[in-house]
Amino acid sequence: MIFEILITLVILLFTLYFYATFIPSLRTYFMVNKIHGPKGLPILGSALDINKLKYNEILEYFRSQTRKYPRVTLIWLLGVPMVFLDEPEDVAEVLGNVSNLDKGVEYIAIQPWLKEGLLLSTGEKWHSRRKLLTPTFHFRLLEENLQSMERHAQHLVNKLCSLGDKTIDIRDYIILCTLDVMCDTAMGIELGALDNPSLKYVKCVKSVGEVTIYRMQNLYLHRDWLFSLTSLGKQFKKDLAELHDFTTKIIRERKSERRNKVNKEENNQNDDFKPRKRKAFLDLLLEMDIEHKLTEADIREEVDTFLFEGHDTTAAAITFAIYLLGLHQDVQDKLIEEIDSIIPDKNEPITRQHLNDMKYMDQVVKESLRVYPSVPYISRLFTHDIKLKGGIVIPAGANVGVLPYIMHRKPEIYPEPEKFDPERFSPENISSRHPYAYIPFSAGPRNCIGQKFALMEIKVVLATLFKSVRVQSLTKREDVTVSPLLVLRSDVPLNIKVTPR
């Protein structure tokens, strides 16, 4: 009887293992184990060590392992062979490779939200969708949305100034502002998150993001059936339905508007019809609807992807840039001097030419993204072997990770890496570095399609802010710890004070 119970328990444990972990092929197992790294435990690998860490200790853990086992590092995690790279030449081989374009296993947690949007799609669907969407990020779309960005940025400035000399945790204000920008530019709606942070949609975006982070950090929850049994899984499903319903409703309303417009034009009753002057991302997708046979689900997953990638990552970039400028008054002085020289009239609308002329602004933004890259982690699940210099082979089946946060801090590339110094990105200093030594927007075929859009938004918000105010950061740099969540986040309030100029 006891023997039968033991056999049953063993079978259950093996069943759980096969359903809650990943099983690499024997070929992958033997080939990848030629790469050095911590031994870890059978099956679990280094999972127990990582599970003991706080979120803000994870990056330092990987940093210590890549130092101990330099260049190419193997860390097993619940059956996943995680291979980490930190040399620009190797990173170029991986991110520039056109054969290995599939996202890593960590992205499974985001799939219920973004489905097969551009961030997660693979193979022919990704190729065709990338080709289809690239024109939507043409400079004309950027130009049309610039004034919308500035309007929301000015609302942010007014909101901050209305608080007087109060201490402000800038994180919450920026993320609400960028959510307003993205709802406006992606869906063509006025969400009003900055004025109404308690909106149900805003709360659901935050909740889904937080639960997704937890699931990414706990790979055993990658199986949907297992995740759905947890209380977090049930809440996630409820909040996700709210987000998808919201986007679907906007899509259907916009489709109805378009049908009404066509009917008015056919009946010659459109004299008083005023077409939308600025097209949102959704409008462009709807224009592709008939020609490219995009379904409602196709459109929703791309709008959701644009909204997710656009508001959270950009918010992190703007937040850290403001914080760093508030710490370094000399850099802030120089930036304000440049802004004032290019836009002497504070009431003059910001143009693309203004932004192009702000060379020091460009250096400030790049250095801020070096120190605090919004996306701290990039990964690929290899479908083909790659041979690196020195005969190192990374086999198909390996999950290959690149950590910009760590690579941007290599003293061999960036002396005094913790120092905030925009001069690192002067033309002469850029020319002496490997192009893959700086990858805040990833690189290669799957680089961020919206990076020009994001950079424009970052610069518009900073220019609008510093046209009108000075910022002093109150949180000490040594007190700031960060966690590699969906985006890089500070674990402590980033407190500032704003003074009208």
Side-chain angles (χ1 to χ4, degrees), residues 100-152:
N100 291 306
L101 296 176
D102 291 4
K103 294 288 186 173
V105 296
E106 304 87 345
Y107 293 83
I108 291 173
I110 314 176
Q111 205 158 29
W113 186 2
L114 306 183
K115 301 297 183 181
E116 292 186 341
L118 193 62
L119 178 66
L120 302 180
S121 57
T122 60
E124 180 55 34
K125 179 169 183 177
W126 175 81
H127 280 285
S128 61
R129 197 63 65 82
R130 175 88 183 201
K131 184 178 180 181
L132 177 66
L133 295 178
T134 296
T136 65
F137 292 93
H138 188 269
F139 73 91
R140 187 170 59 191
L141 172 67
L142 301 179
E143 193 79 50
E144 288 175 351
N145 281 293
L146 193 154
Q147 297 307 317
S148 172
M149 294 176 184
E150 185 178 14
R151 179 168 57 83
H152 290 291

Side-chain angles (χ1 to χ4, degrees), residues 182-329:
M182 292 312 298
C183 281
D184 190 357
T185 56
M187 294 189 283
I189 64 166
E190 293 290 335
L191 185 64
L194 195 57
D195 292 324
N196 300 284
S198 61
L199 283 172
K200 190 173 183 180
Y201 182 78
V202 175
K203 287 183 175 180
C204 287
V205 168
K206 183 178 180 181
S207 174
V208 166
E210 289 174 348
V211 175
T212 298
I213 291 160
Y214 183 83
R215 195 178 179 192
M216 290 177 76
Q217 299 292 348
N218 295 273
L219 283 178
Y220 67 90
L221 291 174
H222 77 284
R223 301 290 187 185
D224 287 336
W225 71 268
L226 185 59
F227 180 57
S228 65
L229 296 177
T230 67
S231 58
L232 279 176
K234 293 172 183 176
Q235 185 61 46
F236 178 82
K237 184 178 180 180
K238 182 179 177 181
D239 291 337
L240 191 60
E242 181 72 27
L243 295 184
H244 284 164
D245 288 348
F246 181 86
T247 310
T248 299
K249 179 184 177 185
I250 300 302
I251 292 170
R252 290 175 180 173
E253 287 177 353
R254 193 60 50 79
K255 278 185 173 181
S256 178
E257 288 178 13
R258 291 173 64 82
R259 282 196 298 268
N260 290 338
K261 176 186 174 182
V262 170
N263 290 336
K264 285 186 177 181
E265 288 176 343
E266 288 177 350
N267 295 322
N268 295 320
Q269 295 175 353
N270 62 330
D271 293 340
D272 59 348
F273 179 77
K274 295 181 180 180
R276 187 180 300 275
K277 293 182 180 180
R278 176 184 57 81
K279 291 182 179 179
F281 182 61
L282 172 57
D283 295 311
L284 298 173
L285 290 176
L286 289 172
E287 287 179 0
M288 301 174 186
D289 189 358
I290 298 175
E291 183 179 352
H292 299 280
K293 298 181 180 179
L294 295 179
T295 66
E296 187 174 274
D298 291 333
I299 294 172
R300 190 190 71 192
E301 64 191 15
E302 295 304 346
V303 171
D304 284 341
T305 296
F306 188 37
L307 184 65
F308 158 70
E309 286 200 90
H311 96 273
D312 224 4
T313 54
T314 309
I318 295 170
T319 298
F320 283 118
I322 292 172
Y323 170 69
L324 288 168
L325 285 164
L327 285 180
H328 299 84
Q329 294 295 314

